[in-house]
Amino acid sequence: MWRARALAPADGSGRYAARLEEFSSRITFRGMSSARPRTRLEHLDGIRAVAASYVVLHHAYLTVYPHDDPVGAAAAAFSWLRYGNFGVAVFIVLSGYSLMIRPARQGGLGESYWSFIRRRFRRIVLPYWIALAVSLVLALTLLGTRTGTHWDAALPVTWPAFFAHLLVLQDVWYSASINHVFWSVALEWHIYFVFPVLLRVWSRVGRVGLTLGLLVLTTGISGVAGREGVHVPVLQYLDFLGLFAVGALSRTVDARFAMRASAGRTSSMAAFGLLLAAGILLIVLQNTTLAVVAVGLATAAALVAMENDRLVLLRRLLGSRPLVWLGTISFSLYLIHALVVQAVWQYALSPTGFRLEQPAGLALLLPSAGVLSVLAAWGFWFIGERPFLSRTHGQRVEAERSGLGGSDPVHSAPHD
């Protein structure tokens, strides 16, 4: 347990004492509290909306350019859509940050281990099973033909793939089958089993040291798996577990940083610096694993900065009504968007003469599949997600949500 040190002013004024008293009133169990309680964290929904939109566009890009990247002017216009792993880094950090809101306020998990798992199961796995059923039907019928696009990774549907997905084990086996984005649901689901354990260990071991050690270890394993061509998501993307812990840690340090007038400025500078580092790692060193970690760390720094009243314009933009609404249905958008993207290409654009690796086809697919995916997600939300929301969801939405749309990160296919 850390303690705030008294800051006594030399002139005897009560300015620092008043500040310290105000700060101390915000501290709870082991300093794990937010800097200022809020009834709603709209900018988190906005982050989900932006990241989800990027993933939809990313998979549209992979639909038209499943193998080779564009060249020339097309590369300048569309190559920024290549990096789906950046999106998952944002969602994973946001997942840890969001799940930590309630424990940070209450001083612990606030419920039993299995009660927590049951709530997560209802919130994530049940909607996922509905989306799995829809994907299975379409992959066996309307979308069951190979067309040379990224969707081919989901075909053919086999019995082993079906049972792996039914048991939510597709982050280990048959990760791309049936629907090539579903493997990250399993990865997030398995991270939830670690979260209560992480809280318990944190209460006995230093949070910062443990989290950094976990990040280094998991990033190292992911780097080796990627270099050796191990296409098992739970190993290839194990660094997401470390980023999840970083996201949770960033929520616990808000109160500590609130004592410093320069805390928000420092976090803002760290966020921009880490984004620059990600660009250097990606472009110069071509190290995607470390670039993804840098993006995740930048996201955590930005969350701390916004909590400490920095990046105000960005926070207001992310908290705008359209983005908050889109963030609310973003889990549904994640679950079904790949079906919509493939259907638009297969039944609307390809029959009219557009071909793969053609910039004009991608220019039409991006807006059309994007809009239709949002509309389809809105409909799916009513039948596949809303029935499983907690009755008190509206009262504690920011404490219950994690990752995309309150539950999951978004990711590209395992070989992206």
Short mmCIF file of all heavy atoms in Angstrom, two decimals, residues 235-274:
data_model
loop_
_atom_site.label_atom_id
_atom_site.label_comp_id
_atom_site.label_asym_id
_atom_site.label_seq_id
_atom_site.Cartn_x
_atom_site.Cartn_y
_atom_site.Cartn_z
N LEU A 235 -0.58 -18.19 -28.66
CA LEU A 235 0.86 -17.96 -28.52
C LEU A 235 1.31 -16.76 -29.36
O LEU A 235 2.10 -15.93 -28.92
CB LEU A 235 1.64 -19.20 -28.94
CG LEU A 235 1.45 -20.46 -28.08
CD1 LEU A 235 2.24 -21.62 -28.67
CD2 LEU A 235 1.88 -20.21 -26.64
N GLN A 236 0.81 -16.68 -30.58
CA GLN A 236 1.22 -15.64 -31.50
C GLN A 236 0.85 -14.24 -30.99
O GLN A 236 1.55 -13.26 -31.26
CB GLN A 236 0.57 -15.87 -32.86
CG GLN A 236 1.13 -15.04 -33.99
CD GLN A 236 0.52 -15.42 -35.32
OE1 GLN A 236 -0.33 -16.31 -35.40
NE2 GLN A 236 0.95 -14.75 -36.37
N TYR A 237 -0.25 -14.17 -30.23
CA TYR A 237 -0.71 -12.89 -29.71
C TYR A 237 -0.80 -12.90 -28.19
O TYR A 237 -1.66 -12.25 -27.60
CB TYR A 237 -2.07 -12.54 -30.33
CG TYR A 237 -2.01 -12.44 -31.83
CD1 TYR A 237 -2.65 -13.39 -32.63
CD2 TYR A 237 -1.30 -11.43 -32.45
CE1 TYR A 237 -2.58 -13.31 -34.01
CE2 TYR A 237 -1.23 -11.34 -33.83
CZ TYR A 237 -1.88 -12.29 -34.61
OH TYR A 237 -1.80 -12.21 -35.97
N LEU A 238 0.11 -13.61 -27.55
CA LEU A 238 0.13 -13.65 -26.10
C LEU A 238 0.48 -12.28 -25.51
O LEU A 238 0.16 -12.00 -24.36
CB LEU A 238 1.12 -14.70 -25.62
CG LEU A 238 1.09 -15.05 -24.13
CD1 LEU A 238 -0.26 -15.65 -23.75
CD2 LEU A 238 2.21 -16.02 -23.78
N ASP A 239 1.10 -11.43 -26.32
CA ASP A 239 1.42 -10.08 -25.83
C ASP A 239 0.17 -9.29 -25.47
O ASP A 239 0.24 -8.34 -24.69
CB ASP A 239 2.25 -9.32 -26.86
CG ASP A 239 1.61 -9.28 -28.23
OD1 ASP A 239 0.84 -10.20 -28.55
OD2 ASP A 239 1.91 -8.35 -28.99
N PHE A 240 -0.99 -9.70 -25.98
CA PHE A 240 -2.22 -9.02 -25.62
C PHE A 240 -2.55 -9.19 -24.14
O PHE A 240 -3.20 -8.34 -23.54
CB PHE A 240 -3.39 -9.53 -26.47
CG PHE A 240 -3.24 -9.20 -27.93
CD1 PHE A 240 -3.90 -9.95 -28.89
CD2 PHE A 240 -2.42 -8.16 -28.35
CE1 PHE A 240 -3.77 -9.65 -30.23
CE2 PHE A 240 -2.27 -7.86 -29.69
CZ PHE A 240 -2.95 -8.61 -30.64
N LEU A 241 -2.13 -10.31 -23.56
CA LEU A 241 -2.32 -10.49 -22.12
C LEU A 241 -1.52 -9.44 -21.35
O LEU A 241 -2.03 -8.85 -20.38
CB LEU A 241 -1.89 -11.89 -21.70
CG LEU A 241 -1.90 -12.20 -20.20
CD1 LEU A 241 -3.29 -12.01 -19.61
CD2 LEU A 241 -1.39 -13.61 -19.94
N GLY A 242 -0.29 -9.19 -21.78
CA GLY A 242 0.49 -8.15 -21.15
C GLY A 242 -0.12 -6.77 -21.33
O GLY A 242 -0.14 -5.95 -20.40
N LEU A 243 -0.66 -6.51 -22.51
CA LEU A 243 -1.30 -5.21 -22.77
C LEU A 243 -2.59 -5.07 -21.96
O LEU A 243 -2.94 -3.97 -21.52
CB LEU A 243 -1.59 -5.05 -24.26
CG LEU A 243 -0.37 -4.85 -25.15
CD1 LEU A 243 -0.78 -4.77 -26.61
CD2 LEU A 243 0.38 -3.58 -24.74
N PHE A 244 -3.30 -6.16 -21.75
CA PHE A 244 -4.48 -6.13 -20.91
C PHE A 244 -4.11 -5.69 -19.49
O PHE A 244 -4.78 -4.85 -18.88
CB PHE A 244 -5.14 -7.51 -20.88
CG PHE A 244 -6.32 -7.63 -19.96
CD1 PHE A 244 -7.59 -7.33 -20.41
CD2 PHE A 244 -6.16 -8.03 -18.65
CE1 PHE A 244 -8.68 -7.44 -19.56
CE2 PHE A 244 -7.24 -8.14 -17.79
CZ PHE A 244 -8.51 -7.84 -18.25
N ALA A 245 -3.02 -6.25 -18.97
CA ALA A 245 -2.57 -5.88 -17.63
C ALA A 245 -2.14 -4.42 -17.59
O ALA A 245 -2.38 -3.71 -16.60
CB ALA A 245 -1.41 -6.79 -17.20
N VAL A 246 -1.52 -3.93 -18.66
CA VAL A 246 -1.14 -2.52 -18.74
C VAL A 246 -2.37 -1.64 -18.69
O VAL A 246 -2.40 -0.60 -18.01
CB VAL A 246 -0.33 -2.25 -20.02
CG1 VAL A 246 -0.17 -0.74 -20.26
CG2 VAL A 246 1.04 -2.90 -19.93
N GLY A 247 -3.43 -2.03 -19.42
CA GLY A 247 -4.66 -1.26 -19.40
C GLY A 247 -5.26 -1.19 -18.01
O GLY A 247 -5.70 -0.12 -17.55
N ALA A 248 -5.27 -2.33 -17.30
CA ALA A 248 -5.80 -2.34 -15.93
C ALA A 248 -4.93 -1.48 -15.02
O ALA A 248 -5.44 -0.74 -14.18
CB ALA A 248 -5.87 -3.78 -15.42
N LEU A 249 -3.62 -1.58 -15.19
CA LEU A 249 -2.71 -0.80 -14.36
C LEU A 249 -2.92 0.70 -14.58
O LEU A 249 -2.86 1.49 -13.63
CB LEU A 249 -1.26 -1.17 -14.69
CG LEU A 249 -0.17 -0.38 -13.96
CD1 LEU A 249 -0.20 -0.70 -12.46
CD2 LEU A 249 1.20 -0.69 -14.55
N SER A 250 -3.16 1.10 -15.82
CA SER A 250 -3.33 2.52 -16.12
C SER A 250 -4.52 3.10 -15.38
O SER A 250 -4.53 4.29 -15.04
CB SER A 250 -3.48 2.74 -17.63
OG SER A 250 -4.69 2.19 -18.11
N ARG A 251 -5.52 2.27 -15.10
CA ARG A 251 -6.66 2.77 -14.33
C ARG A 251 -6.30 2.96 -12.86
O ARG A 251 -6.80 3.88 -12.20
CB ARG A 251 -7.83 1.78 -14.44
CG ARG A 251 -9.11 2.25 -13.76
CD ARG A 251 -9.67 3.48 -14.43
NE ARG A 251 -10.74 4.09 -13.65
CZ ARG A 251 -11.40 5.18 -14.02
NH1 ARG A 251 -11.10 5.76 -15.16
NH2 ARG A 251 -12.35 5.68 -13.26
N THR A 252 -5.43 2.15 -12.33
CA THR A 252 -5.08 2.25 -10.91
C THR A 252 -4.13 3.39 -10.62
O THR A 252 -4.04 3.84 -9.48
CB THR A 252 -4.45 0.94 -10.40
OG1 THR A 252 -3.12 0.81 -10.94
CG2 THR A 252 -5.29 -0.26 -10.78
N VAL A 253 -3.39 3.86 -11.62
CA VAL A 253 -2.42 4.91 -11.36
C VAL A 253 -2.99 6.30 -11.59
O VAL A 253 -2.30 7.29 -11.34
CB VAL A 253 -1.15 4.74 -12.24
CG1 VAL A 253 -0.49 3.41 -11.97
CG2 VAL A 253 -1.48 4.89 -13.71
N ASP A 254 -4.23 6.40 -12.01
CA ASP A 254 -4.83 7.72 -12.23
C ASP A 254 -4.77 8.57 -10.97
O ASP A 254 -4.41 9.74 -10.99
CB ASP A 254 -6.29 7.57 -12.67
CG ASP A 254 -6.40 7.15 -14.12
OD1 ASP A 254 -5.38 7.22 -14.81
OD2 ASP A 254 -7.49 6.75 -14.53
N ALA A 255 -5.15 7.98 -9.84
CA ALA A 255 -5.20 8.75 -8.60
C ALA A 255 -3.81 9.19 -8.17
O ALA A 255 -3.61 10.30 -7.70
CB ALA A 255 -5.84 7.91 -7.50
N ARG A 256 -2.83 8.32 -8.35
CA ARG A 256 -1.47 8.68 -7.96
C ARG A 256 -0.95 9.84 -8.81
O ARG A 256 -0.33 10.77 -8.31
CB ARG A 256 -0.55 7.47 -8.11
CG ARG A 256 0.83 7.69 -7.54
CD ARG A 256 1.75 6.52 -7.81
NE ARG A 256 1.21 5.27 -7.31
CZ ARG A 256 1.93 4.17 -7.20
NH1 ARG A 256 3.20 4.17 -7.53
NH2 ARG A 256 1.38 3.06 -6.76
N PHE A 257 -1.23 9.79 -10.10
CA PHE A 257 -0.76 10.84 -10.98
C PHE A 257 -1.48 12.16 -10.74
O PHE A 257 -0.99 13.22 -11.09
CB PHE A 257 -0.95 10.42 -12.45
CG PHE A 257 0.10 9.48 -12.94
CD1 PHE A 257 1.13 9.06 -12.12
CD2 PHE A 257 0.05 9.00 -14.23
CE1 PHE A 257 2.09 8.18 -12.57
CE2 PHE A 257 1.01 8.13 -14.70
CZ PHE A 257 2.03 7.72 -13.86
N ALA A 258 -2.68 12.09 -10.14
CA ALA A 258 -3.46 13.30 -9.96
C ALA A 258 -2.78 14.30 -9.03
O ALA A 258 -3.12 15.47 -9.00
CB ALA A 258 -4.84 12.96 -9.39
N MET A 259 -1.79 13.85 -8.25
CA MET A 259 -1.09 14.77 -7.34
C MET A 259 -0.17 15.71 -8.11
O MET A 259 0.22 16.76 -7.60
CB MET A 259 -0.26 13.98 -6.32
CG MET A 259 -1.10 13.29 -5.27
SD MET A 259 -0.07 12.69 -3.92
CE MET A 259 0.52 14.23 -3.22
N ARG A 260 0.18 15.36 -9.32
CA ARG A 260 1.10 16.17 -10.08
C ARG A 260 0.36 17.07 -11.05
O ARG A 260 -0.51 16.62 -11.78
CB ARG A 260 2.05 15.28 -10.89
CG ARG A 260 2.94 14.38 -10.07
CD ARG A 260 3.87 13.66 -11.02
NE ARG A 260 4.68 12.68 -10.36
CZ ARG A 260 5.51 11.86 -11.03
NH1 ARG A 260 5.60 11.93 -12.31
NH2 ARG A 260 6.23 10.97 -10.36
N ALA A 261 0.72 18.31 -11.06
CA ALA A 261 0.09 19.24 -12.00
C ALA A 261 0.46 18.88 -13.44
O ALA A 261 -0.28 19.17 -14.37
CB ALA A 261 0.52 20.66 -11.69
N SER A 262 1.64 18.26 -13.61
CA SER A 262 2.11 17.94 -14.96
C SER A 262 1.74 16.54 -15.41
O SER A 262 2.19 16.09 -16.46
CB SER A 262 3.64 18.08 -15.01
OG SER A 262 4.25 17.17 -14.10
N ALA A 263 0.91 15.84 -14.62
CA ALA A 263 0.63 14.43 -14.94
C ALA A 263 -0.04 14.28 -16.29
O ALA A 263 0.37 13.45 -17.10
CB ALA A 263 -0.25 13.83 -13.85
N GLY A 264 -1.09 15.08 -16.53
CA GLY A 264 -1.79 14.97 -17.80
C GLY A 264 -0.89 15.31 -18.97
O GLY A 264 -0.93 14.65 -20.01
N ARG A 265 -0.06 16.36 -18.80
CA ARG A 265 0.86 16.75 -19.87
C ARG A 265 1.86 15.64 -20.14
O ARG A 265 2.17 15.31 -21.29
CB ARG A 265 1.59 18.03 -19.50
CG ARG A 265 2.44 18.60 -20.62
CD ARG A 265 3.25 19.82 -20.17
NE ARG A 265 2.40 20.80 -19.52
CZ ARG A 265 2.48 21.10 -18.23
NH1 ARG A 265 3.38 20.47 -17.46
NH2 ARG A 265 1.69 22.00 -17.70
N THR A 266 2.37 15.02 -19.09
CA THR A 266 3.34 13.93 -19.24
C THR A 266 2.72 12.74 -19.97
O THR A 266 3.32 12.16 -20.87
CB THR A 266 3.86 13.47 -17.87
OG1 THR A 266 4.46 14.58 -17.20
CG2 THR A 266 4.86 12.34 -18.01
N SER A 267 1.49 12.39 -19.60
CA SER A 267 0.81 11.28 -20.25
C SER A 267 0.54 11.58 -21.72
O SER A 267 0.67 10.71 -22.58
CB SER A 267 -0.51 10.98 -19.53
OG SER A 267 -0.29 10.65 -18.18
N SER A 268 0.17 12.82 -22.02
CA SER A 268 -0.08 13.20 -23.42
C SER A 268 1.19 13.07 -24.25
O SER A 268 1.18 12.52 -25.35
CB SER A 268 -0.59 14.64 -23.48
OG SER A 268 -1.78 14.79 -22.73
N MET A 269 2.29 13.58 -23.70
CA MET A 269 3.57 13.48 -24.42
C MET A 269 3.99 12.03 -24.59
O MET A 269 4.51 11.64 -25.64
CB MET A 269 4.64 14.26 -23.66
CG MET A 269 4.41 15.77 -23.61
SD MET A 269 5.62 16.64 -22.59
CE MET A 269 7.14 16.25 -23.47
N ALA A 270 3.73 11.20 -23.59
CA ALA A 270 4.07 9.78 -23.69
C ALA A 270 3.25 9.11 -24.78
O ALA A 270 3.77 8.28 -25.55
CB ALA A 270 3.83 9.08 -22.35
N ALA A 271 1.98 9.46 -24.88
CA ALA A 271 1.12 8.87 -25.90
C ALA A 271 1.63 9.19 -27.30
O ALA A 271 1.76 8.31 -28.16
CB ALA A 271 -0.31 9.37 -25.73
N PHE A 272 1.95 10.46 -27.55
CA PHE A 272 2.44 10.85 -28.87
C PHE A 272 3.82 10.23 -29.13
O PHE A 272 4.11 9.80 -30.26
CB PHE A 272 2.51 12.37 -28.97
CG PHE A 272 1.16 13.02 -29.06
CD1 PHE A 272 0.73 13.90 -28.08
CD2 PHE A 272 0.30 12.74 -30.12
CE1 PHE A 272 -0.52 14.50 -28.15
CE2 PHE A 272 -0.96 13.33 -30.20
CZ PHE A 272 -1.37 14.22 -29.21
N GLY A 273 4.66 10.19 -28.12
CA GLY A 273 5.98 9.59 -28.29
C GLY A 273 5.91 8.11 -28.62
O GLY A 273 6.65 7.62 -29.47
N LEU A 274 5.02 7.41 -27.98
CA LEU A 274 4.87 5.97 -28.24
C LEU A 274 4.29 5.71 -29.62
O LEU A 274 4.64 4.73 -30.27
CB LEU A 274 4.00 5.34 -27.15
CG LEU A 274 4.69 5.19 -25.79
CD1 LEU A 274 3.66 4.94 -24.69
CD2 LEU A 274 5.72 4.06 -25.83
#
